[in-house]
Amino acid sequence: MKRSLIAVLMIAVMLFAFAGVASAATDEEIATKRLMSVDVVTGDPSGELRLDDGITRAEFAAIAVRLRGMEDAAKSSKGATKFSDVKADAWYTGYINLASGNGIIKGDPTGTFRPNDQVNYAEAAAMLVRVLGYEPSIQAVGAGWPNNYLSKAGELGLLDNVKMADWKAPARRGDVFTMADNALDVDLMKQTSYGTDISYEEKEGETLLSEYLDVDVYDEDWADEVDEELPLVKKTPRVDIAGLEDNEVKLEGHTLGNTPYEVAEWINPDDFLGQHVEVWINDDDVVIYMEADDDEEVIVDVLDSNIGDEDANNIYLTNVDEDYLIDDNAIIYVDNVQKTREELFDEFNGRYEDAYVKAVLADNVMVEVDGKEKEEDDVIIFLDIKTYSEDDGVLATTYIVDEVDADDEYIDLFALDGDDTSLDLEDEDYRIVKDGANATLEDIESKDVLVVFENTDDDTYYIEVFSTTVSGEVDDYYSKNRTTLEDSKIEIDGEDYWFTNNVLFTSDDFDSNDDLDVDEVEDLVGSEVTVYLNQQGNIVAVASDEDVAGGSSEYGVIVSAATPEYRGSDYVLSIMNSEGKVIDFTFDPEDVEFTYYIDSDGDDKTVDLDEKVSTASGVTNKAKEYVADNNLPDEFVSLLRKMVENVDAAGNLQPVAVKFDMDSDGDLKEIELLSPVRIVDKKIINDEEVVSDWSGVWFAYGDPDYKTGGNSFDADELDEDDDVLYAGGKFYDLAKDLVIFDMTTPLVEMDYAGDTAYEVDDPDVTTWNSIEGEKLKFDYLVDDDEVVAIYITEFDGGNVTSDTMFAMVDGYKTVNGEDGTILLLPDGSKVAYENDAAERRAFIAYELDGDEIDTYEVLAYENKSWDEQKDSVAQAVYDAVVNGDNTGLEALDIDWIKYVLVDDDSDTMIEGYVSSTDTDTSSFKVESDAVRFFIDDGKIVDKADRNDFVLLIDTDDDGKAVDYVIIIADDAAKNWLPN
């Protein structure tokens, strides 16, 4: 139903891993080199091809003669020509004489040839048509020049890939060479009868290659003639390192003898491994052309765990979502080591799950099915599996290059666990491929990624080298599984990059290295990094100027302060952070800086906590200097104690908002006061005392960008849908990572070693759903015209309550140093909370306690049958669906719940079979703003489709029939329904 783009992207990545770029040469350059390999063209004295230059008529005459294999004859034909403007001692006279004698060139009506003029496109096309013997067909048609020749050239395919805008224009050398290359395998026209009844015929299978250039052509015509298949690329240097040179290949087929052939430099034989191919082999036994058989399909994909077994003789490919039979005689390689089909299945045991595979499929293959031979299509005749992991006889290990000594064949390496190592290749058989092309040790550079396949059975090495890096700021991170790196990713400039399971980290350009821990991934957010990618495009190393264990800066509120028992040296300060976690800091005042504002214009004062400081005092809004008589630590303790008890003139507790920084060890490093603090000698504790005397008021200003709410606001002035806050007559954008602090809880009296102190009782962070539509009073902090934090002080006359919420489990990550869960919320955003929830893709009803998931119930699981669903989901759900008993749903804030099979794909109406013992068809109204979770793909979608198996949930009495549609399985069968 709703297949994602992941399959397409994965296939693209794997094509890079398997095939790569055979050569950096263009099609035009390859055509030119192919002509050079049969001695038709040569470069200039310096070896340059000069493809954008023009070519003279004399030079093209030489090409035409060489295409007819008359190079030696041209040398003996030098001398005077019939053209008046051709000097007898010119280098090209032999070519002109032969070309003229064979009717390839004709010259002008005036008897001149103009040898040094540049040939134009029409002239080049005409000479090639004559080289191929088609002049009689031109004369028979009788059309005018040059359309007659251009038309025939187009018909023969000579103009394919030629950039001709004007036939009269001088032809580019590159275009001329392309035309000549196109002519190589065109069927020739030859005279078949003589005398008075002259006739000409096209000779199928007879070409310039076969008749004049001593090139053996193994194509479909050859295969039909000898009644054989096309040649098979059986071995390449990658899988036969000890037996083949980098430029060799073994071809199996009639007359080829399974012997090595040299391949031209522009051909990467690894691209064709396991495939039947058309090949051209010149008289030096060099393969100068190779093209895959069109009748075979090549699939690059990922193996599923359901690889099959020996009897089943099949494998399942994930992205194409198909099972395929494997031929008994299929060629199979696993990490470059050949295996039999039986070995593949015997050794599997889940080992090859998620391995990358290239499969070649053929039609009309005779296979044995149920003991009988049967002709089948789409049968696998070749498998190339890359696990990039340890296997029998093969160890595939990834490194980062330190230094290369090409002379001594030695590479210094960084292992991904942070250790240094080396690879000594002297006297070893090895092959190197860099970014998909053949390479040498000289091509390997420092900081390249190396994957070394070491075959311990024959002591050979196959080395893949990758030079792809990405640099930028880490915007975000995500983890499906909090225990492994390979299930985690980071976002750089809007693109996601997944980690491998082992990743090297350096903060000093690889002078020192360490392995990256999954718990440290979050610390990369906000850092400038360079990531090094492997063959799948996944991260194997991260370089940053910042240590991943570096400090962090965030917003918070003070909930308790240093107490008398710590006055001797260290002090205690408790801050609730933006995730609702209360962090207790024990610190030495010498190690912490404190910043506050001494006036309402935003002038700040930053001090070390062990020095004396001027603070503000007075009952007016004008700040006054006040120098403490005692040392600052005592004053600071007193100030913090009172800051916790900060109340307004009405006696309401006001949040003491701060911004704080921690060092790499998690210790308090800096603290900045954000909200204004006015502290009186008498305070309100649990409504027992009332402020009656405003004498002796301490006053400290906060950040001028901290806005106090003053009067109550309606929550609809906070428009989350449009990401806008309207307050004080001004619109503010809401930050993407907006945090909402709930400070509506009272102060609680605490006893510390016989002394009285106070703490904010059970502070919290809350969600939008908890305050939406309510009356509340709040303060807010603006940064760059964005609201980054909201501090709720009053909520509808009481405290913010934590009601049941609904979300899908999307993954896992570490939160506040503890195991945590990522939830996909109904608004499409993702948020992480501490504590485990259910397995990934489960849809849950949950309640929060601060930043922790307090309780949850599973309402539906991903891709499970009804029997599995009913054994797993909350009993209340099962009772409601099967027995019609909704009483158990009250605790989940659910009015009713139904499982249905969708019978209509309308956006606003779901018609299906009611999931109960009643099989009557009913319909359910689904509002346009109802949220539709497709948990099999882990995302929110626009609608459910016909035959989807879904869960319908109504959560309240708002008049909507359905609030959530949970698509459990697409295109489901009716046996999903309860029975």
Side-chain angles (χ1 to χ4, degrees):
M1 168 183 146
K2 307 171 181 71
R3 288 193 61 81
S4 67
L5 291 177
I6 294 176
V8 178
L9 296 176
M10 182 64 73
I11 289 174
V13 169
M14 289 181 295
L15 282 171
F16 168 76
F18 274 99
V21 180
S23 170
T26 64
D27 290 341
E28 195 172 76
E29 290 169 336
I30 291 174
T32 304
K33 291 181 179 181
R34 194 155 47 222
L35 292 172
M36 294 173 69
S37 72
V38 289
D39 299 322
V40 170
V41 301
T42 60
D44 65 15
S46 63
E48 295 295 326
L49 300 177
R50 298 185 288 112
L51 298 179
D52 289 325
D53 289 356
I55 186 170
T56 67
R57 287 168 53 84
E59 289 172 334
F60 192 84
I63 290 175
V65 167
R66 290 171 186 151
L67 284 171
R68 292 282 286 267
M70 297 185 292
E71 175 71 18
D72 291 338
K75 294 177 182 177
S76 61
S77 300
K78 289 183 177 180
T81 72
K82 68 177 185 178
F83 300 109
S84 60
D85 60 344
V86 176
K87 295 180 179 179
D89 59 351
W91 68 266
Y92 41 76
T93 58
Y95 297 108
I96 290 176
N97 280 326
L98 279 177
S100 174
N102 284 273
I104 297 172
I105 61 174
K106 295 184 176 181
D108 294 338
T110 60
T112 61
F113 180 66
R114 297 178 288 108
N116 294 316
D117 285 1
Q118 290 192 343
V119 70
N120 64 36
Y121 285 97
E123 292 167 341
M127 283 188 262
L128 286 175
V129 166
R130 294 170 186 149
V131 165
L132 293 169
Y134 283 88
E135 179 70 13
S137 67
I138 296 293
Q139 300 304 323
V141 173
W145 165 270
N147 292 336
N148 48 0
Y149 286 97
L150 290 173
S151 176
K152 177 58 70 172
E155 177 187 329
L156 297 174
L158 303 183
L159 302 181
D160 292 352
N161 299 317
V162 174
K163 310 176 185 68
M164 180 181 67
D166 180 2
W167 66 265
K168 294 178 291 186
R172 290 177 59 256
R173 289 171 63 89
D175 286 328
V176 169
F177 294 162
T178 297
M179 294 167 66
D181 181 64
N182 290 337
L184 291 177
D185 60 344
V186 173
D187 290 337
L188 300 174
M189 176 172 278
K190 290 187 175 182
Q191 186 172 347
T192 56
S193 64
Y194 299 85
T196 58
D197 189 17
I198 299 176
S199 62
Y200 299 86
E201 292 181 6
E202 293 184 29
K203 307 298 288 185
E204 184 176 352
E206 295 184 19
T207 66
L208 295 174
L209 292 172
S210 63
E211 299 302 300
Y212 301 117
L213 298 176
D214 294 326
V215 174
D216 294 325
V217 176
Y218 300 89
D219 58 11
E220 292 288 354
D221 292 335
W222 166 85
D224 291 340
E225 181 180 345
V226 300
D227 194 22
E228 293 280 348
E229 292 182 325
L230 288 171
L232 174 70
V233 180
K234 189 171 184 179
K235 287 188 179 293
T236 66
R238 174 162 65 84
V239 298
D240 192 8
I241 295 172
L244 294 175
E245 299 295 332
D246 285 351
N247 63 341
E248 289 184 334
V249 66
K250 281 187 179 180
L251 298 172
E252 183 181 77
H254 181 71
T255 74
L256 296 176
N258 195 24
T259 57
Y261 284 88
E262 184 180 343
V263 296
E265 61 178 319
W266 56 88
I267 299 173
N268 184 355
D270 288 334
D271 291 347
F272 302 94
L273 179 61
Q275 296 176 249
H276 289 90
V277 293
E278 294 186 0
V279 291
W280 300 351
I281 302 177
N282 68 13
D283 56 354
D284 293 324
D285 284 338
V286 176
V287 177
I288 62 172
Y289 175 72
M290 186 177 289
E291 181 179 354
D293 182 3
D294 289 338
D295 292 334
E296 293 177 346
E297 180 182 1
V298 178
I299 297 177
V300 181
D301 211 310
V302 178
L303 281 177
D304 188 84
S305 58
N306 177 25
I307 193 174
D309 53 45
E310 185 176 349
D311 293 331
N313 190 22
N314 66 347
I315 62 170
Y316 178 79
L317 301 184
T318 302
N319 292 311
V320 295
D321 194 21
E322 291 288 345
D323 274 305
Y324 295 97
L325 287 172
I326 303 176
D327 184 50
D328 289 345
N329 299 315
I331 300 173
I332 301 171
Y333 290 98
V334 178
D335 289 333
N336 307 324
V337 175
Q338 190 164 3
K339 304 281 186 181
T340 66
R341 182 182 60 79
E342 290 76 14
E343 288 173 333
L344 175 69
F345 292 121
D346 288 344
E347 296 172 4
F348 177 63
N349 296 325
R351 180 186 303 162
Y352 304 147
E353 182 178 359
D354 295 331
Y356 301 99
V357 60
K358 170 186 172 182
V360 179
L361 277 61
D363 294 336
N364 306 319
V365 178
M366 297 302 298
V367 298
E368 187 172 305
V369 179
D370 297 329
K372 298 179 180 180
E373 282 198 344
K374 182 180 178 181
E375 189 173 81
E376 290 281 345
D377 293 335
D378 291 337
V379 176
I380 291 177
I381 61 172
F382 172 79
L383 274 176
D384 190 7
I385 299 172
K386 294 276 190 75
T387 68
Y388 291 97
S389 60
E390 189 173 354
D391 191 13
D392 292 344
V394 176
L395 183 65
T397 311
T398 304
Y399 306 96
I400 301 295
V401 176
D402 182 10
E403 293 181 337
V404 179
D405 186 338
D407 292 334
D408 292 336
E409 299 180 280
Y410 196 84
I411 310 175
D412 287 325
L413 300 164
F414 301 123
L416 299 188
D417 60 5
D419 295 333
D420 295 341
T421 187
S422 60
L423 181 63
D424 188 353
L425 296 173
E426 190 174 15
D427 300 325
E428 302 288 354
D429 289 320
Y430 62 91
R431 183 173 181 238
I432 301 171
V433 172
K434 182 171 183 179
D435 295 332
N438 293 337
T440 65
L441 282 171
E442 286 84 355
D443 297 317
I444 301 177
E445 300 178 3
S446 176
K447 301 177 187 176
D448 279 345
V449 176
L450 251 66
V451 182
V452 180
F453 293 86
E454 178 184 357
N455 190 331
T456 56
D457 289 341
D458 59 10
D459 295 324
T460 59
Y461 296 87
Y462 175 71
I463 302 171
E464 291 185 347
V465 188
F466 304 94
S467 59
T468 304
T469 62
V470 175
S471 298
E473 181 177 340
V474 178
D475 302 319
D476 202 356
Y477 87 107
Y478 169 80
S479 178
K480 291 191 297 185
N481 186 322
R482 59 188 172 278
T483 60
T484 58
L485 267 175
E486 64 184 348
D487 282 330
S488 305
K489 65 180 179 180
I490 55 177
E491 179 184 319
I492 303 175
D493 293 334
E495 297 292 334
D496 290 338
Y497 299 92
W498 291 91
F499 290 96
T500 55
N501 200 34
N502 295 297
V503 175
L504 185 69
F505 178 81
T506 180
S507 58
D508 52 14
D509 198 29
F510 295 96
D511 286 340
S512 61
N513 309 294
D514 200 357
D515 59 319
L516 184 71
D517 188 81
V518 65
D519 295 330
E520 297 171 330
V521 174
E522 183 178 4
D523 296 325
L524 293 172
V525 177
S527 302
E528 291 287 336
V529 301
T530 296
V531 295
Y532 297 79
L533 307 180
N534 67 2
Q535 64 286 343
Q536 291 94 10
N538 296 336
I539 299 172
V540 298
V542 178
S544 175
D545 292 336
E546 303 177 34
D547 195 331
V548 293
S552 59
S553 175
E554 58 180 312
Y555 301 109
V557 291
I558 296 177
V559 297
S560 67
T563 56
E565 62 177 311
Y566 292 98
R567 286 185 180 179
S569 58
D570 290 343
Y571 302 88
V572 170
L573 180 65
S574 296
I575 300 176
M576 183 180 69
N577 67 8
S578 57
E579 294 181 332
K581 181 74 172 181
V582 175
I583 306 174
D584 297 321
F585 295 109
T586 301
F587 59 92
D588 185 326
E590 294 183 0
D591 299 329
V592 180
E593 288 187 350
F594 174 50
T595 300
Y596 67 99
Y597 295 82
I598 60 174
D599 62 34
S600 57
D601 294 329
D603 292 335
D604 66 316
K605 175 71 174 177
T606 301
V607 297
D608 293 329
L609 293 184
D610 61 342
E611 73 177 52
K612 291 185 177 181
V613 63
S614 296
T615 61
S617 78
V619 296
T620 67
N621 287 335
K622 295 292 185 180
K624 296 181 180 179
E625 292 292 314
Y626 172 81
V627 179
D629 294 330
N630 301 318
N631 290 333
L632 180 63
D634 291 335
E635 289 294 338
F636 183 68
V637 170
S638 176
L639 176 61
L640 291 181
R641 290 278 305 278
K642 291 181 178 293
M643 285 170 69
V644 178
E645 303 154 10
N646 189 29
V647 293
D648 62 15
N652 296 314
L653 175 67
Q654 298 297 295
V656 180
V658 294
K659 186 175 183 179
F660 64 100
D661 290 274
M662 298 180 290
D663 61 21
S664 58
D665 295 324
D667 294 330
L668 186 64
K669 182 173 63 175
E670 297 179 7
I671 183 168
E672 176 185 356
L673 184 65
L674 300 177
S675 57
V677 177
R678 181 167 55 181
I679 305 165
V680 297
D681 291 337
K682 292 183 179 181
K683 50 197 169 290
I684 297 178
I685 305 297
N686 298 333
D687 296 328
E688 294 181 0
E689 296 187 27
V690 179
V691 175
S692 59
D693 184 2
W694 283 92
S695 63
V697 174
W698 286 64
F699 192 92
Y701 285 100
D703 187 329
D705 290 325
Y706 186 94
K707 313 293 184 180
T708 56
N711 298 320
S712 295
F713 289 91
D714 289 325
D716 58 9
E717 292 176 317
L718 291 166
D719 188 345
E720 192 194 32
D721 290 336
D722 293 332
D723 294 328
V724 169
L725 164 84
Y726 179 73
K730 183 176 180 179
F731 286 97
Y732 298 96
D733 291 332
L734 300 183
K736 180 180 179 181
D737 53 355
L738 170 71
V739 58
I740 304 175
F741 293 96
D742 171 18
M743 296 299 296
T744 59
T745 53
L747 291 175
V748 175
E749 187 175 298
M750 307 294 290
D751 180 46
Y752 290 99
D755 194 7
T756 299
Y758 300 92
E759 291 184 353
V760 178
D761 182 28
D762 195 22
D764 205 350
V765 293
T766 188
T767 63
W768 191 260
N769 289 339
S770 297
I771 64 173
E772 191 173 11
E774 303 292 343
K775 294 280 287 187
L776 55 104
K777 179 186 288 187
F778 59 89
D779 299 344
Y780 56 96
L781 179 65
V782 177
D783 186 8
D784 290 334
D785 290 328
E786 282 190 334
V787 176
V788 296
I790 293 174
Y791 306 83
I792 302 173
T793 57
E794 291 184 23
F795 177 83
D796 200 22
N799 297 332
V800 177
T801 58
S802 179
D803 295 327
T804 301
M805 293 172 284
F806 301 88
M808 187 195 74
V809 177
D810 190 65
Y812 309 95
K813 68 186 290 185
T814 301
V815 178
N816 301 326
E818 304 291 339
D819 291 345
T821 303
I822 303 171
L823 297 181
L824 175 62
L825 303 182
D827 64 2
S829 64
K830 295 179 181 180
V831 65
Y833 295 111
E834 191 176 329
N835 290 343
D836 289 335
E839 67 183 56
R840 187 167 176 259
R841 301 284 173 80
F843 187 77
I844 63 172
Y846 67 100
E847 292 189 3
L848 295 174
D849 180 8
D851 66 339
E852 298 180 6
I853 295 176
D854 187 22
T855 60
Y856 73 89
E857 294 284 1
V858 177
L859 305 183
Y861 278 102
E862 169 198 16
N863 200 23
K864 292 183 183 291
S865 67
W866 168 250
D867 287 338
E868 293 174 299
Q869 295 280 348
K870 74 178 183 180
D871 290 339
S872 304
V873 299
Q875 186 65 39
V877 175
Y878 179 75
D879 289 342
V881 171
V882 176
N883 303 320
D885 180 7
N886 286 345
T887 57
L889 299 179
E890 294 179 359
L892 302 178
D893 287 345
I894 295 174
D895 285 347
W896 57 262
I897 191 165
K898 299 284 185 183
Y899 282 99
V900 304
L901 190 67
V902 179
D903 195 40
D904 181 15
D905 59 4
S906 169
D907 278 350
T908 58
M909 187 74 67
I910 290 183
E911 296 179 357
Y913 292 90
V914 179
S915 296
S916 68
T917 54
D918 182 7
T919 58
D920 290 341
T921 300
S922 298
S923 62
F924 302 89
K925 184 179 181 182
V926 182
E927 300 290 347
S928 60
D929 59 351
V931 183
R932 298 160 175 85
F933 284 88
F934 182 39
I935 61 177
D936 190 44
D937 269 10
K939 60 185 181 182
I940 295 173
V941 297
D942 294 332
K943 65 184 181 70
D945 291 342
R946 185 186 301 273
N947 291 329
D948 286 352
F949 179 58
V950 304
L951 174 70
L952 306 180
I953 301 174
D954 179 42
T955 60
D956 49 39
D957 294 320
D958 60 1
K960 299 177 185 177
V962 176
D963 292 298
Y964 298 104
V965 178
I966 315 304
I967 306 166
I968 299 170
D970 60 325
D971 198 19
K974 292 184 180 180
N975 59 11
W976 280 84
L977 296 174
N979 47 45

